[in-house]
């Protein structure tokens, strides 16, 4: 038998080594352990301060411990936590009203993550096609280099083989096409396709924005074949591109939209948004989730939405994007041996390394962290930047200074 839990366990010292001893090794986290954060500032166990340009992978868009969210969550914590899906609650009703009023959608389904939101979207698409056209209309089209979650269904739909190896047999009737390739889309999307799922900006796949013409063609092909168009805006939505959702900037409306990450600013919540007609497919008992739409998550998400969805806030995101792009372009100009181009949208941007530094994005990330700057990677060849949407011009300039110091060290050692 296992020994009883020591009552003093909460006071035991824990380190990065503790991760290797007690957690399933699905991640390889940094050596430092964050313990406190506010806004874009973060401190580790040793007291070292960092400038966070990751926002928890485009999650904490209002910054860490945003006071307006702390206040809203604290009030709800002292009011009502959980009910179960035999009941509804006021916060989730208000959130659903706000999201449907702000978007194309008539209906919302709430869950706990982006993977769950995409799972719901794909299940809806399959069930809708089955009921309207029959079981032969079941094929799903996705893009290579896409990422839609880690469940067996969503990881199969994602276009990266490295995430599915060893999990076979995979769900069937899923095909992948080259992103932004109109001819590939035309060849693949036939009458047996029930859904086309696409990220308006591929995040994990290298920070690659969709061409407007590509998304418009996907919309036309779905209209022609009766397939549903699903936009995965888990990473690029909620103000990240300077629009509330990226589809608004493209002028292409999906049938289903998924959101998560920044929707809860770190509190787990996901959402699937769709129309009245399609929502009717998922009638009572066809889908569900225990925690989805709980009062705590819904309270936080509503406050996030109310904060981001204002003209002034979104205009500032676009202004900050111009500043960040200029800073990153300066890196390309001054370090042509390291960086080749800047790409992305809004405050989801990537620095693509040159052939000479191919596979070394992680090295740049580690060097930046040593200087006190937290950045992301998107594959091994792209350094990804996704700061909180409240980032200031001064913080962008400071990030540039720290990044230059990091790259100087790498270049000197090369």
């Amino acid at each position: 038998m296992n020994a009883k839990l020591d009552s003093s366990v909460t006071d035991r010292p824990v380190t990065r080594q503790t991760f290797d001893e007690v957690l399933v090794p699905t991640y390889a986290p940094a050596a430092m352990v964050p313990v406190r954060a506010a806004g874009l500032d973060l401190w580790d166990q040793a007291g070292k301060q960092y400038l966070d340009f990751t926002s928890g992978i485009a999650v904490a868009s209002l910054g860490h411990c945003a006071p307006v969210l702390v206040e809203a969550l604290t009030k709800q914590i002292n009011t009502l936590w959980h009910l179960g899906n035999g009941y509804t609650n006021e916060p989730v009703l208000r959130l659903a009203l706000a999201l449907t009023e702000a978007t194309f959608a008539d209906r919302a389904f709430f869950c706990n993550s982006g993977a769950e939101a995409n799972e719901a979207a794909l299940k809806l698409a399959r069930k809708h096609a089955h009921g309207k056209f029959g079981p032969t209309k079941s094929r799903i089209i996705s893009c290579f280099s896409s990422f839609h979650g880690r469940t067996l269904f969503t990881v199969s739909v994602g276009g990266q083989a490295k995430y599915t190896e060893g999990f076979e047999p995979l769900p069937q009737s899923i095909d992948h096409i080259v992103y932004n390739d109109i001819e590939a889309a035309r060849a693949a999307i036939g009458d047996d396709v029930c859904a086309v799922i696409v990220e308006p900006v591929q995040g994990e796949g290298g920070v690659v924005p969709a061409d407007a013409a590509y998304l418009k063609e996907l919309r036309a092909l779905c209209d022609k074949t009766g397939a549903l168009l699903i936009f995965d805006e888990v990473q690029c939505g909620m103000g990240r591109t300077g629009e509330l959702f990226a589809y608004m900037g493209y002028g292409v409306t999906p049938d289903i939209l998924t959101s998560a990450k920044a929707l809860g600013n770190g509190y787990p919540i996901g959402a699937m948004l769709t129309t009245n007609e399609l929502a009717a497919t998922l009638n009572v008992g066809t889908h569900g989730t225990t925690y989805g739409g709980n009062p705590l998550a819904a309270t936080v998400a509503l406050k996030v939405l109310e904060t981001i969805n204002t003209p002034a806030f979104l205009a500032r995101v676009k202004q900050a994007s111009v500043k960040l792009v200029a800073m990153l372009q300066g890196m390309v100009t001054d370090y042509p041996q390291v960086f080749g181009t800047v790409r992305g949208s809004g405050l989801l941007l990537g620095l693509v390394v040159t052939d000479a530094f191919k596979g070394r994005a992680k090295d740049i990330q580690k060097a930046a962290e040593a200087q006190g700057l937290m950045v992301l990677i998107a594959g091994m060849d792209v350094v990804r930047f996704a700061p909180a949407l409240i980032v200031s011009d001064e913080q962008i300039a400071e990030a540039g200074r720290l990044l230059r110091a990091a790259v100087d060290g790498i270049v000197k050692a090369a």
Side-chain angles (χ1 to χ4, degrees):
M1 294 179 62
N2 293 329
K4 288 186 177 180
L5 186 67
D6 188 334
S7 60
S8 64
V9 68
T10 54
D11 299 322
R12 291 183 201 171
V14 290
T15 66
R16 171 60 180 80
Q17 184 179 346
T18 311
F19 179 97
D20 294 333
E21 295 169 350
V22 298
L23 283 164
V24 176
T26 54
Y27 299 105
M32 67 90 162
V33 178
V35 295
R36 181 170 61 91
L40 278 80
D41 295 318
L42 181 144
W43 293 263
D44 68 11
Q45 288 179 317
K48 181 177 178 178
Q49 184 174 349
Y50 300 82
L51 179 59
D52 183 2
F53 263 51
T54 74
S55 63
I57 314 182
V59 169
S61 288
L62 299 184
H64 295 285
C65 301
V68 66
L69 302 183
V70 172
E71 180 183 2
L73 180 57
T74 301
K75 181 178 179 181
Q76 189 60 46
I77 281 174
N78 289 298
T79 305
L80 182 66
W81 283 33
H82 177 76
L83 290 164
N85 49 33
Y87 306 88
T88 189
N89 62 82
E90 291 184 348
V92 80
L93 297 175
R94 294 190 181 101
L95 176 60
L97 283 171
L99 280 169
T100 53
E101 288 172 358
T103 67
F104 73 93
D106 306 308
R107 302 273 180 162
F109 170 82
F110 295 106
C111 47
N112 309 289
S113 68
E116 288 184 33
N118 285 328
E119 186 94 9
L122 294 163
K123 285 180 68 176
L124 169 57
R126 278 262 175 95
K127 195 169 190 302
H128 172 263
H130 190 280
K132 187 173 182 179
F133 300 101
T136 58
K137 192 176 182 66
S138 61
R139 198 156 58 94
I140 294 168
I141 301 297
S142 180
C143 295
F144 290 116
S145 299
S146 65
F147 185 87
H148 299 295
R150 294 283 197 159
T151 67
L152 188 59
F153 193 6
T154 57
V155 82
S156 301
V157 172
Q160 301 188 56
K162 64 183 179 181
Y163 293 136
T164 59
E165 293 172 358
F167 297 108
E168 298 86 354
L170 303 176
Q172 299 299 299
S173 299
I174 299 169
D175 293 313
H176 298 90
I177 59 176
V178 175
Y179 190 67
N180 275 332
D181 188 328
I182 289 177
E183 290 307 315
R186 288 172 178 163
I189 302 171
D191 291 335
D192 63 338
V193 173
C194 71
V196 177
I197 183 168
V198 64
E199 298 162 274
V201 182
Q202 282 193 338
E204 306 298 318
V207 196
V208 185
D211 297 330
Y214 178 68
L215 295 184
K216 289 176 182 176
E217 183 63 15
L218 292 184
R219 177 70 274 173
L221 290 168
C222 287
D223 291 340
K224 179 182 177 181
T225 61
L228 300 184
L229 181 59
I230 304 170
F231 277 5
D232 177 343
E233 296 217 25
V234 169
Q235 186 165 164
C236 67
M238 290 302 295
R240 179 59 55 182
T241 64
E243 306 285 348
L244 179 61
F245 288 104
Y247 84 86
M248 297 171 173
Y250 281 103
V252 179
T253 303
D255 298 297
I256 306 172
L257 182 144
T258 57
S259 178
K261 288 191 181 289
L263 181 61
N265 208 77
Y267 201 104
I269 185 171
M272 178 191 72
L273 306 178
T274 191
T275 63
N276 278 323
E277 177 189 359
L278 296 176
T281 301
L282 293 182
N283 51 15
V284 175
T286 57
H287 193 55
T289 166
T290 297
Y291 297 110
N294 71 79
L296 299 179
T299 294
V300 174
L302 178 59
K303 186 58 67 173
V304 171
L305 178 63
E306 290 175 343
T307 304
I308 290 176
N309 193 29
T310 67
F313 189 99
L314 294 171
R316 169 57 199 165
V317 172
K318 293 177 180 177
Q319 292 171 355
S321 175
V322 172
K323 294 285 187 179
L324 183 54
V325 168
M327 184 273 278
L328 297 178
Q329 191 59 56
M331 297 296 297
V332 173
T333 300
D334 295 342
Y335 299 92
Q337 72 275 44
V338 181
F339 300 114
T341 188
V342 179
R343 68 188 183 203
S345 180
L347 288 175
L348 180 58
L349 297 168
L351 264 179
V352 184
V353 301
T354 60
D355 288 343
F357 278 79
K358 195 170 182 63
R360 296 192 62 188
K362 188 72 175 178
D363 293 341
I364 297 170
Q365 180 192 39
K366 289 181 177 179
E369 183 184 295
Q371 293 293 332
L373 174 65
M374 296 165 61
V375 297
L376 298 161
I377 59 173
M380 292 295 102
D381 302 323
V382 180
V383 182
R384 178 172 31 157
F385 302 81
L389 304 184
I390 60 169
V391 63
S392 68
D393 291 353
E394 291 75 19
Q395 287 168 324
I396 292 172
E398 175 66 4
R401 186 187 70 78
L402 296 172
L403 185 60
R404 284 172 179 271
V407 175
D408 283 340
I410 289 176
V411 170
K412 186 176 181 179

